Amino acid sequence: MDFHNTNDAVTRRIQAFTDRLAMLKANDLYFYNQPIQEILPGMKVRVNGREMGMYASYSYLGLVGHPRINAAAKAAVDKFGTGTNGVRTLAGTLTIHTELEETIADFKHAEAAVTYTSGYATNLSVISTLMGRGDYVLSDKLNHASIVDGCLMSGAEFRRFRHNDMQHLETMLKNVPEGAARLVIADSVFSMDGDIIDLPKVLELTRKYNAWLMIDEAHSVGVLGKTGRGIEEHFGLGDVIDIKMGTLSKTIPSVGGYIAAKQEIITYLRHASRAYIFSAALPPAQAAAANEAFKVILDEPWRLEQLNKNTRQFIDGLKGMGFDTMLTETAIVPVLCGEDEKAFAMTREAQHHDVFVLPVVSPAVPEGLARLRATVTAAHETAEIARAMDVIGEAGKKLGIIK
């Protein structure tokens, strides 16, 4: 049957989306999927032939292009080639994979670690492997989509507690039937808001109600803690999280995801999680790059110090202009705009003045809470941050978001 003559729900959804994109592009409001032509020093990029300051990057410590990391990746290609012989369980495991997992375990103060091909695949597979029918998963309302999808895929009873609301979480834990397995899961740093989960209280509740604890550290490794080891270090805690999840594609400039945990948990995941068993192994260059990046974080503590300084400059400066940056405490800085159209227009104004930011709109965030989700890194210069804030400030005044 001709697709264009099929008037069903699928056709209507596709057509509605196509129409919306056409409207945005016609009004110079579409800025997604722009190819970056070149990555330049000082957290700048070349896009459409123009040099722009990058304020949408997850490279929080500015490690993209680091000479040591690049050299490690090149050496891995020379030694192992560009791919592997298959899946990890069979012929795909290389010594660089085991070295990376040992490095992660040491960095996260865990007994062992296992890696996956993406952060999304990690959450999807691990949650659905650990939990099943009759079990209960309690998830923060603002958790990442990969967590939500993993919870749904598991078949467990899926309950969402109000964002960072520990009283609501305790009520839910009390209502879990006696004897049922229970998992509490939350982001460490929330990717749209930039705030931090109340780990000490979550830990207290999981121990009180005999629940497993899983924390997604995609945006906290290299960002939180005195040495960048993450949320446990940030709160002055030891090895207290049962299942420590993280990505290798944000502060760590590679690709993939990982779980760090007790040896028994890691052994189980290696033999039971489908994304590990049935996905090709990480390419050698990416494994080597990630491995070296963890070492660079510890060897160059000035990067975290600079990130913290830049974060304070960015948050305080935007708040001082009158912007609502919500409850962020980290390098993820939401600049609240209100309606979707204003977030798109703010992006247009900023990019036309060579500040690369991007909008986050509904349904990724609730209607009326559209925003620029701006990020700052250790590689940004103080004067460049000030200029970016001036551009955002002028755009905010022009669009009536601030006075």
Side-chain angles (χ1 to χ4, degrees):
M1 184 180 292
D2 187 344
F3 167 80
H4 297 291
N5 294 325
T6 307
N7 186 22
D8 62 7
V10 174
T11 306
R12 290 191 291 274
R13 282 194 290 270
I14 293 172
Q15 191 60 53
F17 214 91
T18 301
D19 291 345
R20 180 158 172 74
L21 290 185
M23 181 276 293
L24 291 172
K25 290 177 180 179
N27 290 279
D28 192 21
L29 295 173
Y30 184 81
F31 293 95
Y32 298 117
N33 298 305
Q34 295 181 86
I36 293 170
Q37 297 165 310
E38 189 179 0
I39 295 177
L40 304 169
M43 215 57 203
K44 293 185 178 181
V45 293
R46 195 176 309 284
V47 180
N48 296 321
R50 293 166 54 192
E51 186 176 300
M52 307 178 77
M54 169 56 80
Y55 291 87
S57 172
Y58 296 139
S59 184
Y60 299 120
L61 294 183
L63 296 181
V64 170
H66 192 288
R68 276 176 55 183
I69 298 170
N70 285 2
K74 291 172 184 175
V77 171
D78 290 341
K79 183 174 182 178
F80 296 108
T82 57
T84 67
N85 297 303
V87 299
R88 290 286 305 275
T89 309
L90 300 178
T93 294
L94 305 172
T95 52
I96 190 60
H97 293 125
T98 55
E99 184 180 340
L100 169 59
E101 288 163 350
E102 288 167 2
T103 296
I104 292 170
D106 180 68
F107 189 90
K108 293 304 300 173
H109 296 310
E111 288 183 5
V114 59
T115 52
Y116 295 83
T117 52
S118 75
Y120 182 91
T122 304
N123 276 333
L124 195 71
S125 186
V126 170
I127 298 168
S128 61
T129 299
L130 292 172
M131 308 304 287
R133 296 188 185 281
D135 302 331
Y136 281 71
V137 184
L138 310 181
S139 171
D140 188 286
K141 178 73 173 174
L142 296 188
N143 278 345
H144 191 266
S146 60
I147 295 174
V148 174
D149 291 353
C151 294
L152 293 171
M153 186 174 169
S154 72
E157 293 295 321
F158 178 33
R159 302 287 185 269
R160 302 172 84 174
F161 59 91
R162 288 188 294 270
H163 176 49
N164 231 343
D165 187 331
M166 297 301 110
Q167 187 174 350
H168 193 213
L169 173 58
E170 181 162 24
T171 299
M172 286 189 164
L173 283 165
K174 284 179 180 177
N175 290 332
V176 174
E178 188 69 30
R182 59 205 77 183
L183 171 70
V184 175
I185 184 166
D187 282 326
S188 50
V189 173
F190 291 88
S191 60
M192 295 298 172
D193 292 39
D195 56 339
I196 301 169
I197 192 69
D198 185 354
L199 181 61
K201 186 61 178 178
V202 174
L203 179 65
E204 176 189 324
L205 291 174
T206 54
R207 289 180 170 174
K208 180 178 179 180
Y209 292 96
N210 197 31
W212 293 86
L213 175 59
M214 179 174 176
I215 298 291
D216 179 333
E217 292 214 68
H219 295 278
S220 60
V221 164
V223 175
L224 296 184
K226 186 178 180 181
T227 64
R229 281 185 164 91
I231 194 165
E232 290 170 317
E233 185 178 57
H234 174 75
F235 283 108
L237 301 168
D239 178 18
V240 296
I241 299 169
D242 298 311
I243 302 145
K244 309 176 194 187
M245 180 272 174
T247 62
L248 303 174
S249 58
K250 294 181 172 62
T251 298
I252 306 299
S254 184
V255 68
Y258 68 82
I259 297 291
K262 299 293 185 188
Q263 182 65 63
E264 293 84 356
I265 295 172
I266 299 303
T267 300
Y268 173 68
L269 292 175
R270 284 193 197 281
H271 296 86
S273 58
R274 294 165 75 91
Y276 181 88
I277 298 169
F278 297 108
S279 291
L282 282 173
Q286 302 311 124
N291 184 54
E292 191 65 24
F294 282 103
K295 299 173 184 179
V296 170
I297 291 173
L298 299 180
D299 290 345
E300 299 181 0
W302 64 266
R303 291 179 179 274
L304 182 56
E305 295 168 13
Q306 189 64 45
L307 174 64
N308 289 333
K309 178 183 173 184
N310 290 351
T311 298
R312 278 269 57 90
Q313 179 191 356
F314 201 47
I315 294 173
D316 292 348
L318 291 170
K319 287 173 71 173
M321 292 176 177
F323 284 109
D324 183 352
T325 59
M326 305 181 76
L327 298 175
T328 185
E329 303 174 59
T330 66
I332 298 169
V333 184
V335 182
L336 207 61
C337 300
E339 299 306 314
D340 289 0
E341 287 68 23
K342 284 201 172 182
F344 286 125
M346 279 283 285
T347 303
R348 179 184 60 199
E349 295 298 319
Q351 291 212 16
H352 284 186
H353 290 86
D354 298 329
V355 174
F356 192 101
V357 290
L358 290 170
V360 178
V361 298
S362 60
V365 293
E367 289 189 14
L369 293 179
R371 66 200 66 172
L372 301 183
R373 197 262 301 267
T375 57
V376 69
T377 76
H380 282 109
E381 299 288 343
T382 301
E384 287 295 325
I385 295 172
R387 181 187 175 278
M389 289 191 296
D390 286 344
V391 168
I392 294 170
E394 286 302 313
K397 290 176 185 175
K398 182 176 180 179
L399 295 168
I401 295 169
I402 59 172
K403 295 180 180 179

